[in-house]
Amino acid sequence: MSLSHTAAEYMLSDALLPDPSGSRAKGLRLELPSDRMLKFIAVGLPLFLVSLAFAREFSAGSQISCFSPSNFTGKQSAYADTACWESLLHHGFDAEGHAVTKSLWVLKVFPYSLLVVAVLMYLPYLLWRYAATPALHSDLLFIIDELDKSYNRSVRLVQHMRKIQQSSTEPEQFWEEYERARQERYFEFPLLERYLVCKQHSHSLVIIYLLRNLLLLLFLAATCLYLVFLHLNIFFQDEFSCSIKTGLLQAEPHVPPLIPCKLVFFSVFQLISLTVGGVYVLLMPVVIYNALQLCQWDKGFLSVYEMLPAFDLLSRKMLTCPINDLNIILLFLRANISELTSFSRLSAVSALREATADKQDIDTVVDFMTLLAGLEASKPKYE
C-alpha cells in the first residue's frame, strides 16, 4: 500500500509545472506571425529595390543619354545630358499641331517616393507598438501566469484531497464532502475568468488592431494606384525630345531647338514598379484575412482550458460578439503558445479524456488527477 501511495505522490509532484526560469516578458511575441510577415514584406521590399536602383545609379553613372549634334564637343554633349536630366521636359505636339510640354520629373523622384512608401507602411506598426503593445504586454503576462497557476492549483488540490482521504476513517463521508464542494463551486478560482469576461467588454485593443489593418490596406491601395498612374502617364515613354537652348547654349545658332533623349534606367524602374505593385496587390487579401480573424472565436484554445475548474467560458455560453479585446488576446495567446507550459499538459489530458470510455466522470483536470492517483469516487460526479 505504501508503495502505491508513494507512486501517486511522485506522479502528482511531477504533474506540477516548474517555475519559469527566466522572465517571460522578453520572450512574448507582441505581433502575430502574419502581421510580422506583412511588415517585413511591405516595408522591406521597397527599401531593397530602392537600394538596388541607387546602386545602379552610382555604378552606371548618367541616367540619361541624349543624341547631341555631331558638331558638339565632349563638354557640350555632357552639358546637354545634364540640362535634359535636370529639366526632364518632353517637348512635342498635340493632334492639332500645337506645341505641348510634358514633365517627366516624377521619374527622377521615383526612388525617393518608394522611400516614402516604406515609411508609410511602417506607420501602422508604430501605431500598434506605441498605442496597443504596452497594454497587451501586461494582459498577456498576467493571463499566461494565471493559466499556469490555475493548473498548478488544480494539481495541488488533488494532492490535498489525497492526504485528507488517506487520513479519513470514513471514505463515504469524504466523497460526500467532495460532492458538496463541487456543487457549491469551491474548487473554482474565479479571478482569471472574471478578468477575461471584463476583456469581453473592452474594445481598445481591437479598435487599434482594426485601425492598423485599415491604414495598411489604405496605404497598399494608394501605392498601387500611384504606380498605375505612373505607368499610364509616364512609364511608357522612355524617349523624349529635350530643349537645350538654355543657359550657355541659348545664344548658339548651330544648336537645334530639340534633341532626342533616352532614359537609360527606364526598364529598371518599370521592373521595380511592377514588382512592388504586384506584391502589394497580393498582400491586400492577407490584410483583409487578418482583420476577418476577429469575426470568430478560437474555441479550440478555449476548450483545452475548460479542463480547469475556473474556466468554463464556452460551457456557460459567455462568449458574445467576437469583436472585442478578449478575441485579440486569444489570438496572441495562440501565438505565444510556447510560453504556456500548461497548454501542452491540458491538451494531453483533453485527448485522454476523449479516449476515456466513461467520460461523465471526467469534467476537469481535478477529476482526471483523482483517477490517476487512485481516488475513485463511490458516487457519480456532479454535473
Side-chain angles (χ1 to χ4, degrees):
M1 181 66 69
S2 61
L3 183 60
S4 63
H5 290 173
T6 303
E9 290 296 330
Y10 277 126
M11 182 274 298
L12 293 175
S13 298
D14 291 341
L16 286 171
L17 300 177
D19 293 331
S21 56
S23 175
R24 282 187 172 127
K26 296 181 179 179
L28 287 179
R29 297 183 178 91
L30 300 176
E31 272 193 295
L32 296 176
S34 56
D35 290 331
R36 182 176 298 182
M37 179 269 295
L38 280 173
K39 180 186 70 174
F40 285 149
I41 296 179
V43 178
L45 180 65
L47 291 179
F48 173 71
L49 294 177
V50 165
S51 65
L52 293 181
F54 281 136
R56 187 189 184 286
E57 179 179 351
F58 292 137
S59 61
S62 176
Q63 301 299 307
I64 193 172
S65 177
C66 293
F67 300 93
S68 304
S70 58
N71 58 351
F72 269 32
T73 64
K75 290 184 178 180
Q76 288 175 324
S77 297
Y79 176 81
D81 290 349
T82 303
C84 290
W85 174 247
E86 291 296 329
S87 64
L88 276 182
L89 283 176
H90 170 61
H91 297 264
F93 300 92
D94 57 13
E96 299 178 356
H98 299 128
V100 294
T101 58
K102 181 180 181 181
S103 175
L104 305 177
W105 188 77
V106 70
L107 292 173
K108 185 185 296 187
V109 300
F110 178 68
Y112 303 98
S113 65
L114 289 185
L115 292 177
V116 175
V117 168
V119 172
L120 289 177
M121 296 302 168
Y122 196 69
L123 290 181
Y125 166 73
L126 291 179
L127 172 68
W128 177 258
R129 179 177 179 180
Y130 291 104
T133 294
L136 177 65
H137 187 265
S138 302
D139 290 337
L140 290 177
L141 281 179
F142 172 76
I143 294 172
I144 290 176
D145 190 53
E146 283 299 315
L147 287 174
D148 286 348
K149 284 181 179 179
S150 296
Y151 173 84
N152 276 347
R153 290 189 194 109
S154 300
V155 178
R156 291 193 181 99
L157 176 61
V158 177
Q159 290 177 327
H160 183 67
M161 288 171 54
R162 181 170 181 82
K163 292 179 181 178
I164 295 178
Q165 193 267 349
Q166 290 175 0
S167 60
S168 176
T169 57
E170 300 180 5
E172 188 69 21
Q173 183 178 359
F174 167 77
W175 288 112
E176 289 178 359
E177 180 66 25
Y178 172 66
E179 293 298 332
R180 185 162 52 252
R182 285 174 59 87
Q183 293 178 11
E184 297 179 8
R185 307 175 72 87
Y186 288 154
F187 293 163
E188 292 192 356
F189 314 105
L191 175 61
L192 174 62
E193 184 172 321
R194 291 179 182 176
Y195 185 80
L196 295 179
V197 171
C198 289
K199 286 299 175 180
Q200 284 186 272
H201 304 292
S202 175
H203 298 86
S204 57
L205 290 177
V206 72
I207 289 175
I208 297 174
Y209 187 78
L210 290 176
L211 181 60
R212 169 186 177 170
N213 284 277
L214 181 61
L215 285 177
L216 185 57
L217 186 63
L218 179 63
F219 292 152
L220 290 173
T223 302
C224 292
L225 291 177
Y226 167 69
L227 295 176
V228 169
F229 168 78
L230 290 184
H231 273 274
L232 293 179
N233 291 273
I234 305 296
F235 275 4
F236 287 110
Q237 187 168 356
D238 60 340
E239 298 180 356
F240 66 100
S241 299
C242 175
S243 174
I244 58 174
K245 292 185 70 66
T246 58
L248 298 176
L249 301 178
Q250 185 174 7
E252 296 292 334
H254 62 280
V255 175
L258 298 175
I259 60 173
C261 295
K262 183 177 180 63
L263 298 171
V264 179
F265 61 89
F266 192 78
S267 60
V268 176
F269 278 9
Q270 275 189 323
L271 180 61
I272 290 177
S273 63
L274 288 175
T275 302
V276 174
V279 172
Y280 278 8
V281 168
L282 295 177
L283 289 183
M284 285 191 281
V286 180
V287 177
I288 297 174
Y289 171 77
N290 289 345
L292 292 179
Q293 288 186 100
L294 301 177
C295 296
Q296 61 180 359
W297 291 102
D298 188 0
K299 294 186 178 181
F301 181 86
L302 289 177
S303 61
V304 170
Y305 277 96
E306 281 201 331
M307 290 295 293
L308 296 177
F311 205 91
D312 55 354
L313 285 173
L314 282 179
S315 61
R316 290 168 57 182
K317 302 185 183 301
M318 298 176 67
L319 296 178
T320 56
C321 176
I323 303 179
N324 52 55
D325 287 355
L326 177 58
N327 203 3
I328 288 285
I329 291 173
L330 291 178
L331 292 177
F332 279 91
L333 286 175
R334 176 71 73 174
N336 289 277
I337 207 71
S338 59
E339 300 293 331
L340 271 168
T341 313
S342 58
F343 183 82
S344 58
R345 303 284 183 93
L346 289 175
S347 297
V349 173
S350 298
L352 291 174
R353 176 191 179 186
E354 295 298 324
T356 303
D358 193 4
K359 298 179 182 179
Q360 65 177 354
D361 289 338
I362 302 178
D363 293 332
T364 66
V365 70
V366 175
D367 302 321
F368 188 80
M369 290 297 174
T370 55
L371 293 178
L372 289 181
L375 300 178
E376 296 185 3
S378 57
K379 295 182 178 181
K381 299 289 183 185
Y382 164 77
E383 296 183 2

